[in-house]
Amino acid sequence: MAAIPDSAKRFMSGLIERARRTKKTIAFPEGGDPRVLEAAARLARDGVVRPVLVGPKPEKAPAGVEFADPAKSPSLGKYAALYYERRRAKGITQVEAAEVAKKPLYFASLMVGAGDADGSVGGAVNSTADTVRAALHAVGAHPRARLVSSVFIMALQDASLGHNGLMAFADCAVVVDPNAMQLADIAIATAESTRVLIDTEPAVALLSFSTRGSGKGPMVDKVVEAMKILHARAPELNADGELQADAAVDALVGRSKAPGSKVAGRANTLVFPNLEAANIGYKLVERLGGAMAIGPFMQGLAKPANDLSRGCSAEDIYNVAVVTALQSESR
């Protein structure tokens, strides 16, 4: 396994310091998982966030870690009412809402929806589908967002690429085959993630197997149409497409294939045409290029709620909680 890139170490160190200044409250629905307990103890000890673990308080609870047991919580009625209000148009009854609110995954998301927590981090035990569904039902989409998507922050071995070796890749985990409108939505959301997480202005490349008409067909047409929509909706955004990957990230190739482009050769935000390309792309960069993939992080929710891999470590949980705290700053 390749060594952790210096860009990843600098990135997480900087995020931790920024999160420590915000003092956000993060809810963890899987409070009984040993990895979650370990991460929460460290988060509290380091003063990075205020962790609240959903579930009964254990006999040997870590110092500084709070627990919220749904069965005994005085907020349960409030959360049940909130869930009923959000879902009654779908036919849910008040009795059903009360039962749902007791479930740890929904209880944590409702803490966020009610403003009692700034974000949530789940998925160490629950599936991605269940974790995302709870967030959508209890937190909801951002008023300006039309789509929930995801982003990876890729920390590269070569610090001359992207922004000091950091790039945003989307959407590698959620939207399988976005249409042109959805691709523009993903680009706008990912540009904001670049600002918030990488702390720089985005240079967005909409990727394709074609650069400026070198290829033809419906797959190229989709990216071209997405670029038109993106220019109309966010004319101030520094974006270009359709661009091949080499034209997007290599300065020499960018000047050759897309002369005059302000993005070609200097992109820090890559938007792939579909999940298949994105997932393959980030894994190749990770495994063959020695990069570190940090994420994925959800985009488009009213308040941040992030999903973990069920194979995650306590370190992964710690890092995702840090990012979640910073995401809440931009809401």
Side-chain angles (χ1 to χ4, degrees):
M1 181 178 290
I4 295 175
D6 288 339
S7 58
K9 297 174 184 177
R10 290 193 300 269
F11 175 63
M12 286 312 307
S13 177
L15 292 190
I16 290 167
E17 286 308 310
R18 288 168 58 195
R20 185 176 281 122
R21 293 194 293 269
T22 68
K23 300 295 183 186
K24 298 294 184 178
T25 298
I26 304 299
F28 297 83
E30 298 139 337
D33 188 277
R35 297 163 297 173
V36 175
L37 282 163
E38 181 182 339
R42 184 180 159 203
L43 288 163
R45 185 172 62 249
D46 293 350
V48 178
V49 302
R50 172 179 166 245
V52 179
L53 274 55
V54 176
K57 185 176 182 178
E59 289 185 10
K60 296 182 179 180
V65 177
E66 300 177 34
F67 289 82
D69 186 348
K72 300 177 180 179
S73 173
S75 298
L76 183 60
K78 177 176 71 172
Y79 296 160
L82 173 61
Y83 190 76
Y84 173 70
E85 185 64 29
R86 288 188 178 277
R87 302 297 295 171
R88 64 178 179 175
K90 300 295 183 180
I92 194 168
T93 67
Q94 289 178 309
V95 173
E96 290 169 335
E99 288 302 310
V100 171
K102 292 178 185 177
K103 297 178 180 179
L105 198 55
Y106 282 83
F107 189 91
S109 292
L110 287 163
M111 286 181 67
V112 180
D116 295 335
D118 298 295
S120 66
V121 174
V125 176
N126 293 280
S127 70
T128 292
D130 288 342
T131 303
V132 173
R133 187 181 301 111
L136 281 170
H137 289 181
V139 177
H142 193 284
R144 296 193 303 273
R146 310 182 193 191
L147 186 73
V148 173
S149 60
S150 71
V151 62
F152 271 98
I153 303 301
M154 301 299 295
L156 310 174
Q157 294 285 355
D158 187 346
S160 70
L161 296 172
H163 177 69
N164 297 326
L166 299 172
M167 300 186 80
F169 281 29
D171 175 2
C172 307
V174 177
V175 186
V176 176
D177 189 16
N179 59 33
M181 182 69 75
Q182 292 171 325
L183 206 56
D185 291 334
I186 292 169
I188 291 170
T190 309
E192 180 61 18
S193 292
T194 296
R195 289 190 187 97
V196 172
L197 300 179
I198 302 181
D199 199 24
T200 191
E201 276 301 302
V204 183
L206 270 61
L207 298 182
S208 174
F209 64 82
S210 168
T211 297
R212 294 190 171 180
S214 65
K216 304 295 181 184
M219 290 185 288
V220 177
D221 294 341
K222 180 178 78 168
V223 179
V224 172
E225 180 63 22
M227 192 66 236
K228 292 177 182 177
I229 296 168
L230 184 58
H231 275 316
R233 289 183 55 198
E236 76 290 347
L237 189 60
N238 184 24
D240 199 0
E242 85 282 19
L243 293 174
Q244 290 166 288
D246 57 352
V249 302
D250 185 285
L252 185 62
V253 177
R255 285 194 296 271
S256 173
K257 290 187 175 183
S261 172
K262 294 181 179 179
V263 172
R266 55 178 69 90
N268 56 30
T269 305
L270 302 185
V271 178
F272 291 78
N274 55 37
L275 188 146
E276 184 176 37
N279 192 272
I280 292 169
Y282 101 80
K283 289 182 185 294
L284 285 175
V285 172
E286 180 183 36
R287 299 298 175 177
L288 300 183
M292 182 176 180
I294 304 169
F297 305 112
M298 303 302 293
Q299 308 178 131
L301 291 168
K303 297 178 182 179
N306 282 311
D307 174 50
L308 300 159
S309 164
R310 278 173 283 181
C312 65
S313 65
E315 179 74 13
D316 295 329
I317 298 168
Y318 182 100
N319 290 341
V320 172
V322 169
V323 171
T324 306
L326 292 175
Q327 285 180 307
S328 71
E329 285 286 279
S330 65
R331 298 303 198 275

